[in-house]
């Protein structure tokens, strides 16, 4: 009888961590891109996802103002990835992929292994240049300014939009703002009619 | 709903929005068989959620430029670029479904502006062939049948009206008192903004529940007076009106004599169908109606239907737009004003400068509408980002977003002004670009007249002074001298002279005796107010004319 995929998976798990660790010298080194957050996305491959994740955290950084969630806490990456996978975003998705490559190249040129490994100020410098169309290192024309703006707008949607799309996880941002688009209960309009004149 | 099939009906109307809906109701009540063709889907109130992404940031109301592009040149000489600007809507009810519903009458002087501004070069204004008095009863009719809330007699510049509004004014936020006081300090005369939203239940529609999601959203309780919530259900209830949604009209067929015989359209499933009708009424917006007429070429109409004058698509006008804003610091407000009041409407407008006092030469001003900034979160954040070039992001943007919700209440003023028609603002058919059906698209050429831009600045400064006097700080402005693309007029202007107009005073083509156009196309000047109330009133007026023809056995 052929083992089902599920059994195989369970079997591997049953071998235990020790068995895998024992084999470590045969394993490829674990890459930051192997982070489970970057696996199984619809459009972005892990190395791009890691770039975009760092990028959007700079667009909407945590703790400014203090205690407020950033893009990462709101799952904005998941939102953006889902949007980019949609047919009508094909051109935009291509632009984001290109921009991720451009950022990664620029980071490598500075001696970093990955854009996300740069410290925050260095990431911001590259993003500013991306926004001003000053980073495209390729011969072909790439309007990274337009892509930057689109990613910003998508990030705002993922941050502040309806949680059903994967962003604004558990309404974390609406809760932080103290406002949500829920319809208030029908009012006793007469109680409020004419504001405070009556 | 009654089904007519494709045999000849009395009237076929293209477009179910402001220009099509009132006409349909009038004709159906008169016993005419009416078929409405509407290219967009038929949403129900329960489809209108507050999901900002789905409802106001995708193609729920307006098609993607990849599917149905417009081509737009924003300034004389600029290249044409694909754009979604110039679409009002794509659904049953048209733009009236997701409008804010600020509805004002024109003023009597608006009907004779060409005469008034003879001495100003560079515009192509024309006087209207009718007067305010002729339109006024139909304004009353819109306010009643469609549903408008307001308070008559509050300010000295109010256009004449026969009586009170049929629906009492909507409730408003206590901050309105600040705007009142500020205006009074400046010697101005604020009034409660009339709204196409019912303040009390009527015709099976709920009264407004003050959810604060009007502009760019549909109304989930049918309190907003879209044609889809008001006149269309009433027309269908007569059993004389059929509405076919998802039906894109692409050509009006004519016979050898040049009379219109049928509308050709593509259904949801891609079928091509021909609907015969005695009378054909086009109400697809000033831009799309011009496109359809220009695309309907035949031996009798080689330059497009009813276009011997060459004026179809010319004289396009919009409304000039300016937006001014300022912040009230919550901490500095008295308790009663500081908290989030459940009612977000501010409901104050000004028309003191409908004609700008003391301005020499061109003095046509407009209307200032005050409001609290919309609370849609993505929209709010996007607006804050766009206040800087390049767009704001990072810590600074996040601080602005949280400040907008926590620390301040933002007051806004929108300024609507006359858009002077001119030779460089027009719609043409562009066969080099095709929509998803393979049809040539509308190319929109825009150029602003320096005088209307200058007046927009004057009004923006006035609005700014009011906001400042109301205690707002960190004042700023957006789009001064800008254009409101959803307010469209002029592309088939009416008039008594067939050399200088496309339609006669009844909005009938000068050349095609059974063709009418009833959206904003007929308007030879845009007015200093948003124009939807006028388009609806005129639609009722044309309907009354056609109904009279029918009674006399002359509808053909
Ligand atoms: C967000 C927003 C806010 C607004 N706020 C205000 C406001 O506060 N006050 C105000 O006065 N106005 C406002 N407006 C403007 C208002 O919507 C328009 O003035 C009004 O709808 C124009 O009427 P119309 O008949 O020309 O077009 P519409 O009402 O848009 O109707 C045209 C209809 O024709 C259909 N159509 C087009 N082409 C075809 C075709 N070939 N075949 C079949 N059907 C076709 C369209 O789908 C549409 O449903 C707003 C508009 C928007 C979008």
């Amino acid at each position: 009888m052929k083992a089902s995929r599920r059994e195989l998976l369970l079997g591997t798990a049953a071998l235990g961590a020790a068995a895998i660790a024992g084999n470590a010298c045969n394993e490829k080194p674990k890459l930051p891109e192997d982070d489970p957050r970057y696996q199984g996305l619809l459009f972005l491959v892990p190395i791009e996802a890691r770039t975009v994740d760092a990028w959007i955290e700079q667009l909407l950084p945590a703790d400014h103002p203090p205690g407020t969630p950033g893009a990462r806490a709101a799952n904005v990456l998941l939102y953006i990835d889902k949007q980019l996978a949609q047919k009508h975003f094909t051109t935009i998705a291509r632009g984001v992929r290109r921009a991720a490559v451009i950022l990664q190249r620029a980071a490598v040129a500075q001696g970093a292994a990955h854009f996300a490994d740069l410290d925050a100020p260095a990431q911001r410098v590259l993003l500013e240049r991306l926004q001003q169309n000053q980073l495209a290192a390729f011969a072909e024309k790439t309007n990274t300014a337009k892509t930057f703006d689109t990613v910003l707008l998508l990030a705002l949607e993922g941050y502040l939009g309806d949680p059903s799309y994967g962003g604004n996880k558990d309404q974390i941002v609406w809760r932080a703002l103290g406002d949500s688009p829920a319809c208030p209960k029908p009012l006793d309009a007469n109680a409020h009619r004419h504001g405070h004149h009556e | 709903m009654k089904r007519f099939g494709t045999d000849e009906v009395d009237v076929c109307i293209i477009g179910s929005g402001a220009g099509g809906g009132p006409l349909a109701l009038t004709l159906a009540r008169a016993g005419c068989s009416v078929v409405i063709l509407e290219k967009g889907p038929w949403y129900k109130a329960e489809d209108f959620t507050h999901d900002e992404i789905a409802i106001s940031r995708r193609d729920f109301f307006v098609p993607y430029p990849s599917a149905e592009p417009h081509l737009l040149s924003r300034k004389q000489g600029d290249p044409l670029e694909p754009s979604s600007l110039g679409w009002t809507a794509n659904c049953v009810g048209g733009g009236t479904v997701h409008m804010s519903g600020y509805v004002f009458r024109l003023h009597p002087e608006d009907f004779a502006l060409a005469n008034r501004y003879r001495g100003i070069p560079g515009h192509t204004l024309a006087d209207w062939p009718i007067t305010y008095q002729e339109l006024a009863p139909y304004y009353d009719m819109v306010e009643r049948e469609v549903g408008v809330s307001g308070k008559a007699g509050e300010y000295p510049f109010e256009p004449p009206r026969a009586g009170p509004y049929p629906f009492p004014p909507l409730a408003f936020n206590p901050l309105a008192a600040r705007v009142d006081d500020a205006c009074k300090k400046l010697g101005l005369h604020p009034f409660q903004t009339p709204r196409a939203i019912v303040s009390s239940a009527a015709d099976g529609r709920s009264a407004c529940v003050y959810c604060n999601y009007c502009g760019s959203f549909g109304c989930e309780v049918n309190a907003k007076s879209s044609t889809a919530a008001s006149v269309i259900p009433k027309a269908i209830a007569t059993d004389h009106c059929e509405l076919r949604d998802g039906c894109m009209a692409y050509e009006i067929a004519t016979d050898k004599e040049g009379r219109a015989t049928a509308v050709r359209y593509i259904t949801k499933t891609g079928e091509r169908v021909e609907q015969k009708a005695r009378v054909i009424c086009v109400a697809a917006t000033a831009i799309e109606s011009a496109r359809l007429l220009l695309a309907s070429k035949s031996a009798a109409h080689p330059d497009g239907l009813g276009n011997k004058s060459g004026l179809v698509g010319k004289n396009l006008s919009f409304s000039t737009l300016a937006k001014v804003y300022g912040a009230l610091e919550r901490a500095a407000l008295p308790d009663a004003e500081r908290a989030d009041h459940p009612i977000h409407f501010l409901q104050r407008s000004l028309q003191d400068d409908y004609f700008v006092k003391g301005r020499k030469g061109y003095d046509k001003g407009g209307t200032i509408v005050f409001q609290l900034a919309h609370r849609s979160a993505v929209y709010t954040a996007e607006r804050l980002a766009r206040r800087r070039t390049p767009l704001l992001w990072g810590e600074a943007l996040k601080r602005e977003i949280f400040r907008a919700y926590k620390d301040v209440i933002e007051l806004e003023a929108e300024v609507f002004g006359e858009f002077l028609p001119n030779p460089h603002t027009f719609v043409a058919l562009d066969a080099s670009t095709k929509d998803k059906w393979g049809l040539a698209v509308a190319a929109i050429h825009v150029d602003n007249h320096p005088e209307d831009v200058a007046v927009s600045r004057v009004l923006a400064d006035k609005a700014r002074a009011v906001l400042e006097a109301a205690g707002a700080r960190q004042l700023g402005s957006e789009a001064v001298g800008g254009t409101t693309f959803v307010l469209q007029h002029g592309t088939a202007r009416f008039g008594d002279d067939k050399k200088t107009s496309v339609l006669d005073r009844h909005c009938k083509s000068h050349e095609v005796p059974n063709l009418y156009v009833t959206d904003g196309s007929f308007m030879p000047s845009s007015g200093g107010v948003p124009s939807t109330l006028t388009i609806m009133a005129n639609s009722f007026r044309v309907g009354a004319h056609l109904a009279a023809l029918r009674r006399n056995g002359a509808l053909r």
Side-chain angles (χ1 to χ4, degrees):
Chain A
M1 198 179 81
K2 261 172 80 181
S4 72
R5 181 167 159 72
R6 188 174 152 74
E7 280 167 325
L8 281 178
L9 287 173
L10 286 173
T12 313
L15 283 176
I20 293 172
N23 260 344
C25 50
N26 298 335
E27 295 274 308
K28 282 212 283 180
K30 209 162 164 59
L31 294 168
E33 288 78 61
D34 294 338
D35 187 323
R37 282 177 306 167
Y38 308 138
Q39 304 297 319
L41 295 175
L42 296 175
F43 175 75
L44 296 167
V45 299
I47 187 166
E48 296 163 345
R50 191 164 171 238
T51 305
V52 174
D53 189 36
W55 175 355
I56 58 184
E57 187 65 15
Q58 289 307 324
L59 298 180
L60 297 164
D63 281 331
H64 298 281
T68 60
R72 197 165 285 141
N75 252 358
V76 176
L77 178 67
L78 197 67
Y79 172 81
I80 291 186
D81 178 68
K82 279 190 182 168
Q83 296 296 313
L84 295 181
Q86 287 181 23
K87 196 164 152 254
H88 84 270
F89 278 131
T90 307
T91 314
I92 288 166
R94 226 178 280 136
V96 174
R97 179 157 277 163
R98 165 82 46 229
V101 171
I102 289 171
L103 285 173
Q104 174 61 5
R105 283 212 160 183
V108 170
Q110 294 185 10
H114 191 281
F115 174 75
D117 296 331
L118 293 171
D119 62 14
Q123 289 180 11
R124 286 199 291 270
V125 168
L126 290 184
L127 288 171
E128 269 162 29
R129 292 176 58 199
L130 192 76
Q131 186 182 24
Q132 287 163 22
N133 236 343
Q134 292 168 353
L135 209 57
F138 296 111
E140 74 258 53
K141 283 255 177 299
T142 308
N143 189 346
T144 60
K146 213 166 163 179
T147 302
F148 182 93
D149 288 355
T150 307
V151 169
L152 176 58
L153 297 183
L154 285 173
L156 292 177
E157 288 184 354
Y159 189 67
L160 293 154
D162 197 285
S164 61
Y165 299 93
N168 192 6
K169 190 178 165 214
D170 303 327
Q171 307 192 11
I172 185 172
V173 185
W174 289 349
R175 283 188 282 120
L177 288 173
D179 198 24
S180 83
C183 182
K185 296 245 152 44
L187 289 173
D188 175 4
N190 288 321
H192 297 286
R193 187 173 302 289
H194 307 312
H196 77 172
H197 288 324
E198 286 184 9
Chain B
M1 185 171 67
K2 177 96 176 169
R3 308 272 172 194
F4 288 107
T6 55
D7 289 346
E8 189 176 77
V9 290
D10 287 329
V11 184
C12 178
I13 301 174
I14 302 162
S16 61
L23 177 71
L25 174 60
T26 313
L27 294 172
R29 278 186 180 154
C32 300
S33 48
V34 179
V35 168
I36 308 175
L37 301 175
E38 166 55 56
K39 72 194 278 291
W42 199 338
Y43 297 127
K44 300 284 171 285
E46 50 279 19
D47 297 324
F48 299 134
T49 66
H50 292 184
D51 174 352
E52 189 183 2
I53 293 171
I55 304 289
S56 64
R57 300 183 66 86
R58 294 293 183 270
D59 63 348
F60 188 85
F61 281 124
V62 175
Y64 288 132
S66 54
E68 296 183 62
H70 280 149
L71 296 175
L72 177 65
S73 158
R74 299 188 77 143
K75 195 158 98 262
Q76 199 192 340
D78 278 7
L80 287 163
E81 310 255 15
S83 175
S84 58
L85 288 174
W87 286 109
T88 51
N90 179 37
C91 62
V92 171
T96 66
V97 175
H98 61 141
M99 66 174 175
S100 309
Y102 300 138
V103 287
F104 303 85
R105 297 177 176 215
L106 291 174
H107 289 217
E109 298 86 343
D110 282 317
F111 294 68
L113 290 184
N115 191 34
R116 186 180 179 117
Y117 299 125
R118 285 192 301 282
I120 312 278
H123 70 74
T124 57
L125 285 169
D127 290 344
W128 291 40
I130 60 169
T131 61
Y132 178 85
Q133 286 67 31
E134 285 170 88
L135 195 57
Y138 301 102
Y139 278 135
D140 297 340
M141 202 176 278
V142 182
E143 290 170 0
R144 209 171 50 242
E145 291 280 5
V146 177
V148 177
S149 304
K151 182 140 192 250
E154 284 192 301
Y155 69 114
F157 319 105
E158 184 177 39
R161 48 178 305 121
Y165 282 88
F167 294 86
L170 290 160
F172 50 80
N173 188 287
L175 288 166
R178 280 184 172 260
V179 175
D180 287 339
D181 294 346
C183 288
K184 281 170 198 150
K185 233 186 278 172
L186 297 169
L188 303 169
H189 303 81
F191 59 96
Q192 298 185 58
T193 308
R195 297 290 289 269
I197 296 174
V198 294
S199 53
S200 51
D203 292 336
R205 296 161 57 193
S206 159
C208 178
V209 295
Y210 299 93
C211 79
N212 308 326
Y213 281 74
C214 302
S216 299
F217 290 83
C219 181
E220 66 235 54
V221 298
N222 277 334
K224 196 198 290 178
S225 297
S226 71
T227 57
S230 59
V231 286
I232 286 175
K234 292 193 233 183
I236 289 170
T238 63
D239 228 19
H240 293 292
C241 178
E242 175 185 354
L243 191 152
R244 294 182 200 151
D245 61 329
C247 291
M248 170 71 182
Y250 64 92
E251 189 181 5
I252 297 172
T254 50
D255 62 15
K256 281 202 204 67
E257 283 75 54
R259 283 179 61 87
T261 54
V263 181
R264 298 190 172 132
Y265 66 93
I266 306 172
T267 66
K268 284 183 227 186
T269 52
E271 243 179 300
R272 296 199 174 222
V273 178
E274 188 171 289
Q275 175 64 52
K276 295 190 183 61
R278 288 161 178 251
V279 169
I280 290 165
C281 298
V282 189
T285 71
I287 286 169
E288 288 300 304
S289 292
R291 174 190 179 199
L292 180 62
L293 296 183
L294 291 171
S296 300
K297 292 189 179 127
S298 62
H301 300 281
D303 303 317
L305 192 56
N307 190 27
K308 283 208 181 73
S309 66
L311 290 175
V312 172
K314 299 287 180 345
N315 298 306
L316 171 65
S317 67
F318 298 98
S319 168
T320 63
L321 171 72
K323 220 168 175 179
V324 184
Y325 56 85
L328 298 169
E329 292 288 342
R330 279 182 201 262
L333 291 173
D335 285 348
E337 296 176 44
R338 180 183 310 166
D340 278 317
H341 192 271
I343 294 175
H344 203 67
F345 292 155
L346 201 59
Q347 290 294 103
R348 288 300 181 279
S349 294
L350 276 183
Q351 290 191 331
D352 288 62
D353 286 298
Y354 203 77
F355 289 93
V356 183
K357 294 188 189 72
R359 192 169 204 272
K360 292 265 175 329
Y362 185 69
D363 65 350
K364 181 60 198 288
T367 306
I368 302 174
V369 179
F370 294 97
Q371 58 193 15
L372 297 176
H374 204 298
R375 294 192 77 83
S376 282
V378 184
Y379 167 80
T380 301
E382 177 173 353
R383 222 180 38 206
L384 295 170
R386 286 191 188 282
R387 284 183 185 167
R388 303 283 189 291
T389 316
L391 301 194
L392 193 65
W393 52 276
E395 294 177 22
L397 176 59
K398 263 197 74 205
R399 268 200 303 272
E400 289 287 311
I401 295 170
F402 278 83
R403 190 177 106 88
Y405 280 85
K406 300 275 189 199
D407 305 335
V408 298
I409 299 177
E410 195 156 281
L411 293 177
E412 282 182 349
E414 280 189 349
V415 180
F416 298 92
E418 188 85 31
F419 182 109
L420 283 170
N422 62 71
H424 311 296
T425 302
F426 60 95
V427 187
L429 197 62
D430 194 312
S432 70
T433 303
K434 301 277 166 63
D435 66 11
K436 64 179 182 188
W437 295 284
L439 305 171
V441 306
I444 305 162
H445 298 258
V446 182
D447 205 38
N448 289 98
H449 193 287
E451 287 291 331
D452 64 25
V453 174
V455 170
S456 182
R457 290 220 172 85
V458 172
L459 263 63
D461 287 346
K462 187 63 70 91
R464 196 184 168 95
V466 173
L467 295 185
E468 198 156 24
R473 295 295 171 260
Q474 291 173 294
L475 294 132
S477 55
E478 293 161 9
V480 177
T483 302
T484 302
F485 284 93
V486 294
L487 300 169
Q488 311 174 0
H489 329 92
T491 54
R493 53 169 47 170
F494 74 159
D496 290 331
D497 181 349
K498 58 171 82 164
K499 288 204 284 301
T500 57
S501 56
V502 176
L503 308 173
D504 73 7
R505 61 171 50 227
H506 302 298
C507 292
K508 182 175 80 173
S509 162
H510 284 304
E511 297 163 35
V512 186
N514 59 341
L515 174 71
Y516 291 73
V517 184
T518 58
D519 49 39
S521 305
F522 79 99
M523 294 169 66
S525 56
S526 66
V529 290
S531 47
T532 307
L533 190 78
T534 299
I535 295 172
M536 288 182 170
N538 184 64
S539 179
F540 272 125
R541 187 183 69 92
V542 174
H545 170 72
L546 285 169
L549 289 182
R550 153 126 183 151
R551 276 195 300 278
N552 302 332
L555 186 76
R556 58 193 144 71

